[in-house]
Amino acid sequence: MGKLKGLTPRVSGLKPRIGAISGDRRAFDQMRDQRPWRRWYKTARWQALRWRVLVRDLFTCQCGCGLIEADTSLLVADHKVPHRGDARLFWDEGNLQTLRKACHDGWKQRLEACG
C-alpha cells in the first residue's frame, strides 16, 4: 500500500481559526466583570448562601439528571430566573438551585443566551 505523501503539506498549511475567538472572549470577560453585581459573587454572604443551597439540595443536580457531586467545586448555585443585576432576585434563596457545572455551562447557558 502506498504512502499518503501529499496529505501532510495540505494539513500543515491550514490557518488556525481559534485565535480570533480568544481576543473576543477576553474582551467579553472584561466587559462582564465591569458590571457591579459581579462583585457580589466574591462576598462571604454569597458563599454562605451558595453553601445553604448546595446542602438544601443534597449536592444533587436539579436539572433532571439527578447526579450527586461530592466535589463542590463542580457545583454551581444557579439562578432559576436570571437576576440581570436585580439584587432581590440575586439574593433570593428560593430562586437558586444546585446544578453541576457541566449542566450549567452547557444547556443552561445556551437557554439563557436564546432569551
Side-chain angles (χ1 to χ4, degrees):
M1 181 176 249
K3 294 184 179 180
L4 296 173
K5 295 178 183 176
L7 186 60
T8 304
R10 290 184 192 152
V11 173
S12 64
L14 294 175
K15 294 180 182 177
R17 296 182 178 199
I18 298 176
I21 294 173
S22 63
D24 294 340
R25 182 63 189 193
R26 195 174 309 119
F28 172 79
D29 287 344
Q30 287 174 348
M31 179 193 71
R32 183 183 67 173
D33 289 343
Q34 290 177 357
R35 297 176 182 157
W37 53 264
R38 293 289 300 167
R39 289 184 228 123
W40 296 343
Y41 287 106
K42 305 228 186 282
T43 64
R45 180 181 175 191
W46 168 255
Q47 294 302 319
L49 178 59
R50 176 184 178 272
W51 184 253
R52 282 196 309 272
V53 170
L54 298 182
V55 170
R56 178 197 69 197
D57 293 343
L58 302 175
F59 307 97
T60 305
C61 186
Q62 303 298 306
C63 80
C65 70
L67 294 176
I68 299 171
E69 180 58 63
D71 183 355
T72 58
S73 70
L74 300 177
L75 293 174
V76 175
D78 172 66
H79 292 91
K80 297 175 191 176
V81 177
H83 60 84
R84 309 223 192 283
D86 181 347
R88 186 183 53 81
L89 283 174
F90 186 91
W91 298 108
D92 181 11
E93 188 172 337
N95 188 36
L96 292 168
Q97 64 183 346
T98 300
L99 291 181
R100 290 182 318 118
K101 185 160 176 38
C103 296
H104 177 266
D105 293 353
W107 68 267
K108 176 70 185 211
Q109 292 297 312
R110 285 192 300 276
L111 182 67
E112 286 185 13
C114 292

